[in-house]
Amino acid sequence: MLIPDGVHRDSGKTKRAPAVMATLLDVYDGGVVELDWTTPFELLIATILSAQSTDKKVNEITAELFAKYPEPAAYLAVDERELEEDIYQTGFYRQKTRAIRGVCAALLERFGGEVPATMAELITLPGVARKTANVVQSAAFPTTHADDPDAGVAVDTHVRRLSRRLLFTRQDDPVKIERDLQRLLPRRQWGPASLCIILHGRRVCDARRPRCRDCVIEPLCPSSLIAGRRDKAGQAVGPG
């Protein structure tokens, strides 16, 4: 992907953001979720399990988990301690067990056991905040996400770090970062943009050792170490 003439790391964010996202969308084929799933319900459970864990570990666990628990009622039919043992390796297993059982109960009570497609409904599920809801909606219900006035950009630790390194935001709060990204990016990019940023954060723009020499957006990055710049991800929060 060629960077447009006249756009560089010191250009304003409104000029850099479209070039950055066009490049990342091209490199990462429009963005994909690296969690294994076949239904919106499986994606929701996998996303809950992915907190403070790796997608690789979650995929190892869900290979058997999804066979044992094919629908919400199955998670409620077993003893809580049995479910804790089944997801133990993902970490924070007690909190995740409570979250999963709460979500399953809500799905059965209010949505006929099906995962709702709208943001307004998704965030009513126990423990499902905007980050999880945006991931699930953008991947499982992309058409709805594109048209949903309440949908937005999923902000996880990678999106937070890269958004600050790229000076797309100076905020630290995920809600404020999401708003800044929504102002910068076209509506149709909100879902795939987040997925691409997450992939780039995992594969290249590491928290401690960013691989700037291997980075396709390095010429647009105001935090490039090989350009002698300071890492903006650690800057004090300023105005958005």
Side-chain angles (χ1 to χ4, degrees), residues 11-232:
S11 299
K13 60 185 177 182
T14 55
K15 288 186 67 175
R16 287 186 296 108
V20 166
M21 287 319 309
T23 302
L24 293 181
L25 287 166
D26 182 57
V27 169
Y28 296 109
D29 297 323
V32 294
V33 174
E34 294 188 307
L35 294 167
D36 292 337
W37 61 283
T38 58
T39 67
F41 177 62
E42 288 184 352
L43 177 58
L44 177 58
I45 298 300
T47 304
I48 292 172
L49 292 174
S50 70
Q52 305 299 314
S53 186
T54 64
D55 286 0
K56 180 180 179 181
K57 174 57 67 177
V58 171
N59 290 338
E60 291 173 1
I61 300 301
T62 56
E64 296 183 5
L65 192 76
F66 291 159
K68 182 176 181 179
Y69 303 101
E71 70 280 319
Y75 286 94
L76 300 173
V78 300
D79 185 85
E80 192 168 303
R81 284 170 293 185
E82 182 175 348
L83 180 54
E84 288 178 352
E85 292 176 2
D86 289 337
I87 66 171
Y88 175 82
Q89 293 184 58
T90 67
F92 298 91
Y93 60 95
R94 290 193 179 93
Q95 298 95 313
K96 291 177 182 179
T97 293
R98 289 193 294 270
I100 289 172
R101 287 167 66 90
V103 162
C104 289
L107 291 177
L108 289 169
E109 292 169 6
R110 292 190 272 120
F111 299 104
E114 300 295 325
V115 175
T118 69
M119 178 63 63
E121 291 173 318
L122 281 165
I123 60 175
T124 68
L125 298 172
V128 175
R130 285 190 62 85
K131 184 200 83 170
T132 296
N134 272 312
V135 168
V136 171
Q137 191 188 44
S138 62
F141 308 108
T143 302
T144 302
H145 185 275
D147 297 330
D148 191 338
D150 297 317
V153 182
V155 178
D156 73 343
T157 182
H158 301 292
V159 175
R160 173 194 172 279
R161 181 175 71 254
L162 269 66
S163 295
R164 287 169 61 84
R165 276 183 175 161
L166 290 162
L167 282 184
F168 290 168
T169 184
R170 295 182 185 274
Q171 302 294 339
D172 196 50
D173 177 75
V175 174
K176 294 179 180 178
I177 292 173
E178 181 180 11
R179 290 172 184 164
D180 284 346
L181 292 176
Q182 286 175 300
R183 284 191 284 263
L184 274 178
L185 303 175
R187 179 69 179 77
R188 67 184 182 279
Q189 287 187 352
W190 290 357
S194 176
L195 299 178
C196 290
I197 293 172
I198 290 171
L199 290 174
H200 195 64
R202 288 174 176 165
R203 299 179 183 179
V204 179
C205 197
D206 185 76
R208 296 187 178 183
R209 296 182 179 86
R211 294 165 44 215
C212 297
R213 294 189 183 280
D214 299 321
C215 180
V216 294
I217 56 173
E218 186 278 330
L220 298 170
C221 182
S223 295
S224 169
L225 300 182
I226 61 175
R229 300 301 183 92
R230 187 176 64 172
D231 186 354
K232 307 300 191 297

